[in-house]
């Protein structure tokens, strides 16, 4: 009898969940944004926490390859621009951590996942920046790849993520232009400066293509994320769009992309390009890239060094609360 009651209850519960899920999907299909207090499937919530926190980590780890070059910037103007850019990235991290917090995870948990090596961040930031030209290549190629992906995310189905992306995209387009400007200046310079420019493009090109993630057939999350309109374009679609854009812009620099198979395909109305080294990609994602250990160690140090700031802020907030209670 008890078992029957439980069975009926579970069946009714399943039917209700099915009905709620249908309403949820209908909202997505009708382009109604999902907001923090709305009902959502647990898997949708978890997928967003994963993606938004990885995105936030990418922004703050992404400050490292450029941060080290601030003191070597060739002019005061370049230095001021680079400081502003790195500061923007910290800001992007904060908007994104805040968006993730609306899904029920807190900042400290996300940070612990990053410094323990459990959480992922974009593979691109595990490559070293070896010359000033890398500041240009990062801005032009890395921010350029990021923008294509992020413009799509301005229309993602989760409200707080979509709204954070609108502001981020405005800042990213400035980042990309300043990167192109650095490379353009070098491309008009001495033979040595031209060689520096070409060398940076050669080293950052393939890792930039990897930023879009694995090929569509190897992408584990894409189908579900596209159904939920978290993602609106596939990894390969965005990658192809990026190649089409950069293959034209590189001509303005008078430089080349390091891909002998890059060729305009009239029929497809887009560029064909060579095979990405997927072994290298997965190796970097798994923590074995040239700078993975160094990046995590820098973030761990920054997190530990900031303990007293967090404690002081909490003590101050407590003091203020007690004061207003007493009043
Ligand atoms: N690196 O099923 P898939 C910036 C993982 S920073 C590492 O296709 P999804 C900037 C993926 O997580 C902007 N891991 O995944 C800052 C998954 O593993 P898990 C960074 C990668 O999520 C400073 C597995 O591979 N942008 O602008 O559907 C200076 C299977 O992949 C990568 C974002 O974070 C990678 N590249 O699609 C300058 C954008 N790719 O989690 C610039 C937000 C894939 O199952 N994120 N993986 O263990 C996204 O749009 C999506 O998460 C991705 C991947 C397109 C990246």
């Amino acid at each position: 009898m008890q078992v029957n009651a439980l069975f009926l209850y579970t069946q009714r519960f399943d039917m209700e969940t099915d009905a709620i899920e249908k309403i949820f999907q209908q909202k997505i299909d009708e382009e109604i944004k999902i907001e923090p207090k709305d009902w959502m499937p647990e898997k949708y919530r978890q997928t967003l926490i994963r993606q938004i926190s990885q995105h936030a980590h990418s922004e703050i780890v992404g400050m490292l390859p450029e941060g080290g070059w601030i003191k070597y910037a060739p002019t005061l103007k370049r230095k001021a621009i680079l400081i502003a850019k790195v500061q923007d990235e910290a800001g992007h991290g904060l908007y994104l951590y805040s968006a993730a917090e609306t899904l029920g995870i807190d900042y400290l948990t996300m940070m612990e996942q990053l410094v323990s090596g459990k959480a992922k961040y974009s593979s691109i930031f595990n490559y070293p920046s070896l010359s000033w030209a890398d500041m240009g290549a990062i801005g032009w190629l890395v921010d350029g790849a990021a923008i294509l992906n992020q413009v799509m995310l301005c229309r993602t189905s989760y409200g707080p993520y979509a709204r954070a992306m609108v502001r981020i995209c405005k800042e990213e387009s400035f980042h990309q232009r300043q990167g192109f400007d650095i490379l353009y200046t070098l491309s008009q310079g001495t033979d040595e400066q031209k060689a520096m420019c070409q060398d940076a493009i050669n080293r950052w090109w393939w890792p930039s293509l990897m930023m879009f993630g694995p090929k569509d057939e190897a992408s584990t999350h894409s189908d579900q994320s596209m159904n939920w309109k978290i993602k609106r374009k596939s990894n390969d679609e965005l990658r192809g769009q990026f190649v089409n854009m950069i293959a034209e812009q590189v001509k303005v620099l008078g430089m080349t992309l390091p891909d002998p198979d890059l060729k305009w395909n009239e029929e497809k109305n887009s560029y064909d390009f060579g095979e990405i080294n997927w072994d290298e990609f997965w190796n970097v994602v798994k923590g074995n890239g040239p700078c993975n250990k160094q990046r995590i160690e820098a973030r761990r140090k920054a997190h530990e060094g900031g303990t007293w700031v967090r404690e002081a802020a909490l003590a101050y907030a407590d003091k203020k609360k007690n004061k207003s209670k007493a009043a």
Side-chain angles (χ1 to χ4, degrees):
M1 179 68 182
Q2 249 182 355
V3 172
N4 275 348
L6 183 66
F7 173 73
L8 285 175
Y9 173 79
T10 321
Q11 210 181 25
R12 200 179 131 215
F13 180 77
D14 282 349
M15 277 166 60
E16 280 174 5
T17 310
D18 276 358
I20 300 173
E21 271 202 54
K22 261 191 198 141
I23 296 171
F24 172 83
Q25 189 62 48
Q26 208 175 330
K27 272 171 86 175
I28 301 241
D29 296 343
E30 287 171 12
E31 302 291 337
I32 299 170
K33 291 271 179 269
I34 306 300
E35 296 298 339
K37 289 189 177 153
D38 294 348
W39 184 91
M40 60 186 83
E42 184 54 22
K43 222 177 140 217
Y44 177 82
R45 198 175 70 82
Q46 289 301 337
T47 299
L48 280 168
I49 289 180
R50 177 188 64 80
Q51 180 168 322
I52 303 174
S53 64
Q54 283 178 6
H55 194 162
H57 298 327
S58 304
E59 295 285 354
I60 62 155
V61 176
M63 295 164 72
L64 298 169
E66 292 170 295
W69 276 93
I70 291 172
K71 60 175 178 279
Y72 303 115
T75 66
L76 186 60
K77 188 176 156 201
R78 292 282 187 211
K79 192 190 286 273
I81 293 172
L82 191 57
I83 290 173
K85 179 181 193 281
V86 173
Q87 248 171 221
D88 282 353
E89 280 145 14
H92 297 174
L94 289 181
Y95 313 152
L96 289 162
Y97 284 124
S98 302
E101 280 193 321
T102 64
L103 292 154
I105 186 166
D106 61 87
Y107 169 77
L108 281 181
T109 308
M110 289 184 271
M111 197 43 63
E112 272 150 22
Q113 289 173 349
L114 172 65
V115 296
S116 68
K118 195 175 151 211
K120 289 195 168 76
Y121 56 88
S122 185
S123 49
I124 190 83
F125 302 116
N126 294 307
Y127 291 86
S129 43
L130 304 178
S131 79
W132 171 253
D134 288 23
M135 298 306 99
I138 291 176
W140 177 47
L141 296 175
V142 177
D143 286 276
I147 292 174
L148 282 184
N149 178 283
Q150 292 176 155
V151 163
M152 154 188 95
L153 291 173
C154 291
R155 295 188 299 118
T156 195
S157 57
Y158 187 57
Y161 193 20
R163 290 189 286 273
M165 291 321 302
V166 173
R167 176 151 180 195
I168 292 178
C169 280
K170 285 187 184 151
E171 293 172 351
E172 295 286 22
S173 59
F174 154 70
H175 294 177
Q176 192 194 17
R177 263 178 265 160
Q178 69 83 39
F180 190 81
D181 187 61
I182 290 175
L183 293 185
Y184 187 74
T185 306
L186 290 172
S187 74
Q188 305 296 304
T190 61
D191 285 349
E192 209 181 345
Q193 286 170 324
K194 284 181 189 159
M196 248 170 87
C197 179
Q198 184 62 63
D199 171 62
I201 294 170
N202 291 349
R203 282 182 292 105
W204 289 93
W205 173 245
W206 291 105
S208 300
L209 292 187
M210 295 175 195
M211 281 179 77
F212 295 94
K215 273 187 164 181
D216 289 351
E217 60 261 33
S219 165
T220 41
H221 303 290
S222 275
D223 286 351
Q224 183 61 80
S225 289
M226 300 273 268
N227 257 346
W228 280 331
K229 298 192 179 171
I230 292 174
K231 279 167 101 163
R232 302 247 175 187
K233 287 184 181 178
S234 80
N235 299 358
D236 284 333
E237 206 179 340
L238 286 170
R239 193 170 8 248
Q241 220 176 308
F242 178 69
V243 173
N244 287 345
M245 178 175 90
I246 298 297
E248 290 303 313
Q249 291 178 357
V250 76
K251 294 178 188 166
V252 181
L253 294 176
M255 300 285 146
T256 55
L257 295 174
D259 180 357
D261 296 324
L262 184 77
K263 216 166 68 205
W264 178 251
N265 183 327
E266 198 64 53
E267 217 173 286
K268 278 170 43 193
N269 199 31
S270 73
Y271 277 90
D272 288 331
F273 54 98
E275 186 62 20
I276 291 168
N277 183 344
W278 293 111
D279 289 342
E280 176 183 324
F281 170 72
W282 289 115
N283 202 35
V284 174
V285 170
K286 283 181 192 146
N288 305 317
C291 301
N292 293 60
K293 289 185 183 64
Q294 189 182 322
R295 302 293 186 232
I296 294 288
E297 183 54 18
R299 288 316 321 170
R300 194 190 58 73
K301 265 197 188 149
H303 183 59
E304 277 176 19
T307 307
W308 71 272
V309 181
R310 289 190 295 277
E311 284 172 358
L314 284 175
Y316 179 68
D318 263 358
K319 201 167 133 187
K320 249 177 103 180
K321 205 161 68 190
N322 291 340
K323 228 182 189 175
S324 65
K325 242 191 222 163

